[in-house]
């Protein structure tokens, strides 16, 4: 992607620090253990994995980076959502 080494260093430091903090936090993540393959799903949801695989074959590095970044961000965002929802329900 023709990024400068300095920008890659900063991005790498941020990713390393964020990953380290998330590994020792109590933030919960979706584990995919509840995903059931025996249930029928709508076509729209069934097409999503096919689209992801198609994009993965076109741009593997970028696609994997985006997928892993979204997965890493969804834990803190979901925790923030639950905290705001809990605060509004009690207040």
């Amino acid at each position: 992607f023709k990024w400068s080494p300095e920008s890659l260093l900063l991005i790498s430091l941020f990713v390393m620090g964020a990953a380290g903090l998330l590994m020792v936090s109590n933030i919960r993540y979706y584990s995919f253990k509840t995903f059931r393959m025996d249930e029928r799903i709508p076509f729209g949801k069934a097409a999503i994995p096919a689209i992801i695989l198609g994009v993965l074959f076109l741009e593997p590095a970028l696609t994997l980076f985006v997928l892993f970044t979204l997965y890493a961000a969804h834990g803190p965002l979901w925790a923030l959502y639950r905290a705001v929802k809990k605060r509004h329900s009690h207040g």
Side-chain angles (χ1 to χ4, degrees):
F1 295 115
K2 298 179 183 176
W3 291 358
S4 70
E6 295 82 18
S7 63
L8 286 177
L9 176 66
L10 292 174
I11 292 170
S12 299
L13 286 173
F14 174 77
V15 168
M16 184 178 60
L21 290 173
L22 288 172
M23 280 192 272
V24 298
S25 72
N26 291 331
I27 294 176
R28 294 182 180 179
Y29 281 85
Y30 182 71
S31 67
F32 298 101
K33 292 178 186 174
T34 59
F35 185 72
R36 297 188 51 166
M37 293 294 290
D38 58 346
E39 294 179 358
R40 295 186 72 182
I41 57 173
F43 178 77
K45 287 186 179 179
I48 291 172
I51 292 169
I52 291 172
L53 281 174
V55 174
L56 181 60
F57 284 115
L58 291 174
E59 288 287 338
L62 181 61
T63 304
L64 289 173
F65 178 75
V66 168
L67 287 175
F68 290 134
T69 301
L70 289 174
Y71 185 75
H74 103 274
L77 291 174
W78 189 248
L80 182 65
Y81 171 76
R82 285 193 314 258
V84 168
K85 187 176 175 183
K86 184 177 180 181
R87 187 175 188 173
H88 285 292
S89 68
H90 291 299

